[in-house]
């Protein structure tokens, strides 16, 4: 895997050029500092802070910035976003060798695309990483006749990203399987088109353990991984509004159910 912890002094030098021998956080701001009002903010000449959903407008804005200057670090707080813009952002991270620092939350598309694409990643002690489904995994639950060209195309974008990163394709299905899907409810639509699949599952989010990340992340860590106890407390707070959470379990049955829920 080539996974190793980079000395903090190196990350420090990249960000702020701190004194030789000084160990400090690679984060350019203090913990618990609230997100700026804008989804994308330039903190200094080489650091971008992203707060919020990932969409085409945000990615276009970052692309414009990169045409003018180098970006070395992205500090992120995100509940996720649209698949295609998220994969575009992943490609930008890869092509520009950008380090990703998870400040508080990295969920959904942030965790399943951006996190694995960054050559170097760092966390706070209580950073929450949570996953659920991918287009590839929900396509498995569909009947062949319901698979549109659009759904196949988005699934292929995911698969190609994972192939380019050298990731096992099984990683595209593990998070959804860990939710313990019970049945398919129906289509998820937006703006008159199908954008996903609604399923009934025991859990709403999959919170990977540190062991899970260590075994699968292909890059380098610039910090220690989040502390389990601190993350568990954050999960308790977030779950009050976003649903239930589970950690990876070796006993999880990775067989999907394709039965339809019976309306009562």
């Amino acid at each position: 895997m080539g996974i190793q912890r980079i000395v903090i002094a190196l990350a420090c030098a990249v960000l702020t050029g701190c004194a030789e021998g000084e160990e400090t956080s690679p984060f350019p701001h203090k913990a618990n500092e609230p997100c700026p009002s804008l989804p994308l903010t330039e903190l200094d000449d080489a650091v971008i802070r992203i707060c919020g959903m990932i969409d085409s407008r945000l990615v276009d804005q970052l692309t414009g910035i990169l045409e003018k200057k180098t970006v070395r670090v992205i500090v992120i707080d995100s509940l996720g976003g649209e698949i295609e813009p998220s994969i575009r952002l992943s490609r930008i991270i890869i092509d520009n060798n950008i380090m990703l620092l998870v400040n508080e939350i990295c969920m959904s598309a942030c965790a399943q695309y951006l996190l694995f694409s960054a050559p170097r990643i760092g966390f706070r002690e209580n950073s929450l990483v949570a996953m659920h489904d991918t287009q590839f995994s929900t396509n498995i639950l569909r009947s062949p006749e319901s698979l549109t060209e659009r759904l196949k195309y988005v699934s292929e974008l995911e698969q190609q990203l994972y192939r380019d990163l050298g990731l096992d394709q099984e990683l595209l299905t593990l998070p959804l399987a860990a939710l313990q899907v019970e049945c398919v409810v129906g289509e998820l639509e937006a703006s008159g088109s199908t954008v996903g699949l609604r399923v009934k599952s025991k859990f709403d989010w999959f919170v990977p353990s540190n062991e899970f990340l260590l075994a699968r992340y292909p890059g380098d860590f610039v910090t220690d991984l989040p502390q389990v106890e601190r993350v568990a407390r954050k999960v308790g707070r977030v779950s009050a509004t976003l649903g239930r959470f589970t950690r990876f379990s070796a006993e999880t049955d990775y067989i999907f159910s394709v039965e339809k829920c019976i309306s009562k």
Side-chain angles (χ1 to χ4, degrees):
M1 283 283 184
I3 297 176
Q4 60 183 4
R5 183 185 175 193
I6 300 176
V7 289
I8 297 300
L10 173 59
C12 178
V14 169
L15 285 168
T16 59
C18 41
E20 183 178 354
E22 179 184 358
E23 287 198 6
T24 186
S25 167
F27 287 85
H29 59 84
K30 295 180 180 179
N32 301 318
E33 186 175 310
C35 275
S37 58
L38 297 175
L40 189 152
T41 305
E42 298 180 55
L43 296 184
D44 64 24
D45 287 341
V47 183
I48 296 293
R49 187 170 184 189
I50 292 176
C51 288
M53 302 299 286
I54 302 164
D55 57 20
S56 293
R57 184 175 180 179
L58 183 146
V59 179
D60 289 344
Q61 185 179 355
L62 178 58
T63 300
I65 292 172
L66 284 165
E67 290 175 352
K68 302 174 183 177
K69 68 178 188 180
T70 299
V71 173
R72 295 183 178 179
V73 180
I74 291 177
V75 182
I76 195 161
D77 278 294
S78 178
L79 296 176
E82 302 169 20
I83 296 178
E84 289 181 77
S86 298
I87 292 179
R88 278 184 58 205
L89 181 50
S90 296
R91 296 289 185 185
I92 289 173
I93 289 172
I94 295 169
D95 293 343
N96 291 274
N97 195 33
I98 297 174
M99 178 166 65
L100 186 70
L101 299 177
V102 178
N103 183 48
E104 294 285 341
I105 293 179
C106 180
M107 299 174 66
S108 188
C110 175
Q112 288 165 242
Y113 309 127
L114 274 58
L115 195 68
F116 289 105
S117 298
R120 298 170 302 284
I121 56 174
F123 305 92
R124 299 281 192 190
E125 291 181 339
N126 64 343
S127 296
L128 172 60
V129 175
M131 307 174 182
H132 52 96
D133 60 66
T134 61
Q135 189 66 67
F136 177 81
S137 64
T138 56
N139 280 0
I140 294 174
L141 300 180
R142 295 176 178 276
S143 59
E145 58 271 18
S146 70
L147 282 174
T148 64
E149 292 303 314
R150 180 68 179 174
L151 295 175
K152 294 177 184 177
Y153 169 73
V154 175
S155 174
E156 178 54 35
L157 287 179
E158 295 174 328
Q159 294 176 72
Q160 189 59 56
L161 176 65
Y162 274 43
R163 283 194 292 266
D164 291 346
L165 291 169
L167 297 172
D168 193 322
Q169 297 286 298
E170 185 184 42
L171 188 54
L172 288 167
T173 61
L174 285 180
L176 180 59
L179 302 186
Q180 299 181 33
V181 176
E182 298 173 1
C183 59
V184 176
V185 177
E187 301 290 352
L188 182 63
E189 297 186 354
S191 302
S193 61
T194 300
V195 296
L197 195 67
R198 296 174 59 228
V199 299
K200 179 182 178 182
S201 58
K202 183 177 180 181
F203 300 102
D204 296 318
W205 295 94
F206 164 54
V207 180
S209 66
N210 288 348
E211 291 75 18
F212 184 97
L213 292 175
L214 283 168
R216 292 167 176 83
Y217 172 62
D220 296 311
F221 297 95
V222 299
T223 66
D224 291 328
L225 274 73
Q227 294 183 11
V228 175
E229 296 79 9
R230 289 176 177 266
V231 174
R233 288 197 290 271
K234 176 171 286 187
V235 165
R237 294 193 299 271
V238 176
S239 64
T241 56
L242 294 180
R244 304 178 301 276
F245 289 79
T246 180
R247 283 194 172 78
F248 176 77
S249 170
E251 289 74 38
T252 299
D253 184 1
Y254 295 127
I255 299 177
F256 289 116
S257 166
V258 293
E259 294 181 358
K260 297 282 289 187
C261 288
I262 299 175
S263 300
K264 295 183 178 180

